[in-house]
Amino acid sequence: MRETIQDAQFLSRVSVVIDIFSTSILLEALAPSKLSTVSGYKGVKDLNIIHFAYTPNVLRPSLEKTAKDAITSEGLRLGSYLLEYVNNVNAYPFLKTNTAFGYLMLASPLLYVIIKALTYGGDTDISNVVSKYHHVIIEGLKKENIKSFYLALRKASIKHLGEYFGKIPSVNTENDSILENFSLFDVLKESMYLDLVSHEIVTGFRRVLEVYNAMLNEELALKKLLDSVTLAHMRMLSSNIDTLVLKSKNLNCALLLKYLSTVRTVITKDVWDRIDNYVRENELNPGSISDIVAAGLALRQVSAYITQSI
């Protein structure tokens, strides 16, 4: 009887952690005054808050599969989770396929190692967990070939994510005998210097943890939490070139957003609003930064929940 109760309590905790990862992308999108990305009522390109309001619904099945694999000691299967997400989005009328692709690339491995830590007990400090289990993520990436990942990219029609260099085949390659010769780790490692999300996964989530640590002492009150998201977005964009803008637009556009973030504190609100409207009209969306901030926010919310539930 005690084991049954403990199992039910454990699964309940896992479900809450999945909920946190599912909804953190929406919380990030709700934060006000972020430069040229979905921010409260402001949209950019073909994205708006409506897409993010429905996103948790289609993220959850992939995150549930991630958690189940962690509990049952199945290896991380990132390409499989991404493909399921894209299939779900394609069947969902209110969403765009690229709304949360980059976020899920970060969220699934992070959720996987957190559920691993909860399953085995011991240290639940988020930074320690990510560091301790990062090798498990890498092992999973090395064991998974790129067929599911490439199929997810093709179905999502994210053209700029399929531009690889060196030995990595084009995303349009559909020959299984070729794709089976490359691991997902190969692709992410080769592309990580032109893709912030890949860089985070391969090197240990430094930027995500930076956002997490900056938010640790923030209050749970919604306004203060969302303001901390806006601040994290500004700091991260001022110190990094957003690779989504780099690949979908060009280097000059990416450098422009980086520069604007560095001078934001000395610009009046009226001028800033005009600048923001201008870059939105030119469809410059620093989505990689938003994905990193959303993942850091998820870790902060999970940490608060675990601390409260101990």
Side-chain angles (χ1 to χ4, degrees):
M1 181 67 174
R2 180 177 296 176
E3 281 189 14
T4 302
I5 293 173
Q6 289 176 337
D7 288 346
Q9 290 174 338
F10 171 73
L11 292 176
S12 177
R13 293 179 78 192
V14 169
S15 182
V16 172
V17 173
I18 292 172
D19 282 341
I20 290 171
F21 272 98
S22 297
T23 56
S24 289
I25 190 171
L26 173 58
L27 282 176
E28 192 280 336
L30 286 171
S33 304
K34 300 194 313 304
L35 179 63
S36 195
T37 188
V38 178
S39 184
Y41 294 121
K42 281 191 172 185
V44 63
K45 298 175 72 174
D46 57 353
L47 295 174
N48 58 54
I49 197 63
I50 300 248
H51 301 131
F52 286 89
Y54 291 105
T55 296
N57 297 338
V58 292
L59 276 176
R60 205 176 203 287
S62 293
L63 295 173
E64 287 175 343
K65 182 180 286 187
T66 303
K68 181 179 179 181
D69 285 348
I71 293 170
T72 59
S73 295
E74 182 76 37
L76 179 75
R77 298 180 294 160
L78 182 56
S80 174
Y81 312 144
L82 291 166
L83 180 57
E84 177 165 355
Y85 160 73
V86 172
N87 286 335
N88 289 338
V89 171
N90 284 340
Y92 209 91
F94 304 118
L95 292 177
K96 301 294 182 181
T97 52
N98 62 345
T99 306
F101 195 98
Y103 172 71
L104 186 60
M105 284 183 68
L106 295 169
S108 278
L110 291 169
L111 173 65
Y112 186 90
V113 297
I114 289 171
I115 300 303
K116 274 284 186 196
L118 291 177
T119 301
Y120 290 110
D123 190 0
T124 55
D125 177 86
I126 294 296
S127 295
N128 293 342
V129 166
V130 173
S131 176
K132 178 180 178 180
Y133 287 98
H134 182 246
H135 75 280
V136 176
I137 295 173
I138 300 302
E139 288 170 7
L141 295 174
K142 287 182 176 180
K143 291 177 181 177
E144 183 179 13
N145 67 45
I146 60 177
K147 288 195 297 183
S148 292
F149 181 64
Y150 270 35
L151 182 56
L153 286 173
R154 289 196 299 272
K155 284 190 171 186
S157 301
I158 309 177
K159 296 178 182 178
H160 57 270
L161 291 183
E163 296 174 0
Y164 298 116
F165 301 91
K167 66 179 183 178
I168 301 302
S170 164
V171 73
N172 294 316
T173 302
E174 298 184 42
N175 188 322
D176 286 352
S177 63
I178 294 176
L179 299 181
E180 288 170 355
N181 290 326
F182 295 91
S183 71
L184 189 45
F185 178 77
D186 293 331
V187 169
L188 299 185
K189 186 178 180 182
E190 287 288 324
S191 62
M192 68 179 187
Y193 293 107
L194 287 174
D195 183 71
L196 279 176
V197 170
S198 298
H199 195 277
E200 286 295 282
I201 297 169
V202 172
T203 60
F205 301 93
R206 177 184 63 80
R207 295 173 185 85
V208 173
L209 290 172
E210 182 181 327
V211 172
Y212 159 72
N213 285 315
M215 291 184 177
L216 259 184
N217 297 321
E218 293 294 333
E219 296 181 19
L220 286 170
L222 183 60
K223 184 180 185 308
K224 290 192 175 182
L225 187 64
L226 294 183
D227 285 344
S228 73
V229 170
T230 302
L231 181 60
H233 195 275
M234 181 189 73
R235 287 174 174 170
M236 193 57 58
L237 187 54
S238 67
S239 57
N240 295 277
I241 290 176
D242 188 279
T243 50
L244 178 63
V245 176
L246 173 65
K247 290 184 289 186
S248 62
K249 295 295 183 178
N250 55 55
L251 178 60
N252 286 339
C253 289
L255 288 172
L256 173 63
L257 293 186
K258 184 175 185 291
Y259 171 75
L260 290 173
S261 290
T262 64
V263 299
R264 177 170 184 172
T265 56
V266 297
I267 296 177
T268 64
K269 184 180 184 305
D270 180 58
V271 173
W272 180 258
D273 286 342
R274 278 189 265 172
I275 290 173
D276 183 43
N277 289 335
Y278 170 78
V279 291
R280 285 178 191 278
E281 288 169 3
N282 284 274
E283 299 188 336
L284 306 184
N285 175 25
S288 296
I289 298 298
S290 292
D291 292 335
I292 288 169
V293 173
L297 173 61
L299 293 184
R300 182 249 180 264
Q301 298 293 81
V302 168
S303 178
Y305 168 67
I306 290 175
T307 301
Q308 292 172 358
S309 63
I310 291 177

